[in-house]
Amino acid sequence: MITTDILIIGAGPTGLFTVFEAGLLKLKCHLIDALPQPGGQCSEIYPKKPIYDIPAYPEILAGDLTHKLMEQIKQFEPGFTLGERADTIDKQDDGTFIVTTNKGTKHHAKIVAIAGGLGSFEPRKPLIPNIADFEDKGVEYIIKEPELYRDKKVVISGGGDSALDWAIFLSDVASEVTLIHRRNEFRGALDSVEKAQELKNLGKINIITPAEVKGIIGTDKVTGVAVEKKGEDAFIIDTDHFIPLFGLSPKLGPIGNWGLEIEKNAIKVNNALDYQTNIPGIYAIGDVNTYPGKLKLILCGFHEATLMCQSAYKRIFPDKKYVMKYTTVGGVQGFDGTKKEAPKAVVKAIQ
């Protein structure tokens, strides 16, 4: 059985930063994530997309943010159970918890912090009869590695930010990009719509509206898609890849059966104090929680993780008084023996 102070369910940015804040309090952390690598959505869904609202980073790729967070917490030696889903939780007589994964791995912790983002994700698939036959054979619902499309013909379907952003990005990677949307109007950011229009005028993106992909052509792999454009006969577009980007459907999964108070697929917490749930000792931070005024932003998750760790310390050590020290003053003492601190001023008498 794996034993730790804080068991973090979800190894996305909020979960990873929790390790750092807990480490400053000398609390050990272990993380569970159903994905095979840390980073959550940043690693699995959009590793190559830029993020613009991380403090001190005018722009940082999602995958690079994960790398930086992993580098920041290395000194606190967190444990990881990856590729497994937190399945059941049992509260012990002493107030601690045992969490068991779908593969039977047991974890014993004093505190449980649910940082599972929006939960597990399932792509919203278009109603095309034979689409399942071509999954991973030219049909992809998530773009993980843009280089896969180098010098290939690509058809993207969708009308939101993701469809627009990837059509724009792949215009410099793929040999041909076609964007298909069932309406003339797109739901994306204005600058993205204008950029897509500009690329269309330059002949770098084909935009077909209002239209829908109704069928996939091919035997062992995708070779084309059948398109129906309003008011016209159906036609076929030759392509190597068909990427329907209609969003992802989040699901809480087994956590939804843990007796937590749920509201609109999110976990209700006490945001006036410490983001604790209706079960003492279980917290929810990041996109997985909800409270009045909630904003689903990574930087808000960082803030919630910080306050949660302070509360967790008081719960674990009720008789100890913790005096917060700024890292600029006290430095950072890692569990691996490292010490990071600002150089001390040299005091020398004037002769």
Side-chain angles (χ1 to χ4, degrees), residues 228-295:
E228 290 185 5
K229 190 174 190 298
K230 191 173 182 180
E232 299 181 12
D233 293 334
F235 57 93
I236 292 175
I237 299 176
D238 293 336
T239 190
D240 300 300
H241 295 273
F242 172 49
I243 310 170
L245 298 175
F246 297 134
L248 299 164
S249 178
K251 298 183 183 298
L252 277 177
I255 291 175
N257 301 319
W258 285 7
L260 301 166
E261 192 173 356
I262 307 295
E263 182 179 284
K264 295 181 179 178
N265 207 44
I267 302 170
K268 290 187 69 173
V269 295
N270 174 10
N271 68 303
L273 184 62
D274 54 13
Y275 307 99
Q276 195 161 190
T277 68
N278 59 302
I279 301 177
I282 301 180
Y283 300 77
I285 52 178
D287 287 357
V288 76
N289 75 14
T290 185
Y291 53 82
K294 170 69 180 182
L295 291 176

Side-chain angles (χ1 to χ4, degrees), residues 42-347:
C42 288
S43 294
E44 183 72 4
I45 300 176
Y46 49 86
K48 301 296 183 180
K49 288 191 74 174
I51 302 174
Y52 300 104
D53 60 354
I54 301 300
Y57 286 100
E59 175 183 334
I60 185 169
L61 295 180
D64 291 344
L65 175 62
T66 298
H67 175 74
K68 292 288 187 183
L69 286 165
M70 289 293 289
E71 185 179 337
Q72 184 180 33
I73 67 175
K74 182 180 179 182
Q75 60 199 316
F76 295 122
E77 301 177 323
F80 289 91
T81 298
L82 299 174
E84 299 185 30
R85 183 188 66 236
D87 228 17
T88 63
I89 187 167
D90 296 294
K91 192 165 188 177
Q92 307 301 294
D93 292 339
D94 61 356
T96 61
F97 302 90
I98 292 179
V99 174
T100 306
T101 71
N102 61 315
K103 294 185 179 179
T105 308
K106 293 185 179 296
H107 307 75
H108 187 205
K110 300 165 185 172
I111 297 291
V112 173
I114 302 171
L118 293 172
S120 59
F121 292 88
E122 295 179 6
R124 294 190 177 99
K125 303 179 182 182
L127 298 176
I128 299 174
N130 61 341
I131 193 168
D133 298 334
F134 293 95
E135 290 173 355
D136 298 324
K137 297 177 183 178
V139 170
E140 294 90 32
Y141 303 105
I142 297 171
I143 297 177
K144 298 180 183 178
E145 183 45 67
E147 281 300 312
L148 175 68
Y149 309 100
R150 175 70 62 182
D151 300 325
K152 303 290 186 181
K153 293 180 179 179
V154 176
V155 172
I156 295 174
S157 185
D161 282 313
S162 188
L164 284 163
D165 290 348
W166 280 119
I168 293 167
F169 185 93
L170 292 178
S171 67
D172 289 327
V173 176
S175 62
E176 182 179 301
V177 175
T178 301
L179 177 59
I180 298 173
H181 182 38
R182 62 192 177 94
R183 295 190 179 93
N184 287 318
E185 301 79 19
F186 287 86
R187 304 183 310 277
L190 179 60
D191 60 338
S192 295
V193 176
E194 291 176 345
K195 180 66 174 177
Q197 181 65 56
E198 178 186 340
L199 291 171
K200 178 186 178 182
N201 296 341
L202 292 172
K204 298 192 68 175
I205 294 179
N206 304 314
I207 298 179
I208 304 175
T209 61
E212 293 185 70
V213 174
K214 292 293 188 177
I216 300 173
I217 313 301
T219 50
D220 295 331
K221 63 185 292 297
V222 173
T223 58
V225 292
V227 180
E228 290 185 5
K229 190 174 190 298
K230 191 173 182 180
E232 299 181 12
D233 293 334
F235 57 93
I236 292 175
I237 299 176
D238 293 336
T239 190
D240 300 300
H241 295 273
F242 172 49
I243 310 170
L245 298 175
F246 297 134
L248 299 164
S249 178
K251 298 183 183 298
L252 277 177
I255 291 175
N257 301 319
W258 285 7
L260 301 166
E261 192 173 356
I262 307 295
E263 182 179 284
K264 295 181 179 178
N265 207 44
I267 302 170
K268 290 187 69 173
V269 295
N270 174 10
N271 68 303
L273 184 62
D274 54 13
Y275 307 99
Q276 195 161 190
T277 68
N278 59 302
I279 301 177
I282 301 180
Y283 300 77
I285 52 178
D287 287 357
V288 76
N289 75 14
T290 185
Y291 53 82
K294 170 69 180 182
L295 291 176
K296 294 183 183 295
L297 298 172
I298 292 175
L299 61 91
C300 293
F302 291 165
H303 164 77
E304 293 166 10
T306 304
L307 297 187
M308 183 279 293
C309 286
Q310 295 287 326
S311 176
Y313 181 90
K314 294 174 184 176
R315 183 174 177 83
I316 295 172
F317 302 111
D319 298 326
K320 283 188 178 181
K321 184 178 180 180
Y322 174 73
V323 179
M324 190 188 79
K325 297 179 181 178
Y326 296 108
T327 56
T328 49
V329 177
V332 178
Q333 180 72 52
F335 294 165
D336 59 359
T338 59
K339 173 74 172 180
K340 294 180 180 178
E341 58 183 334
K344 299 293 191 295
V346 176
V347 179

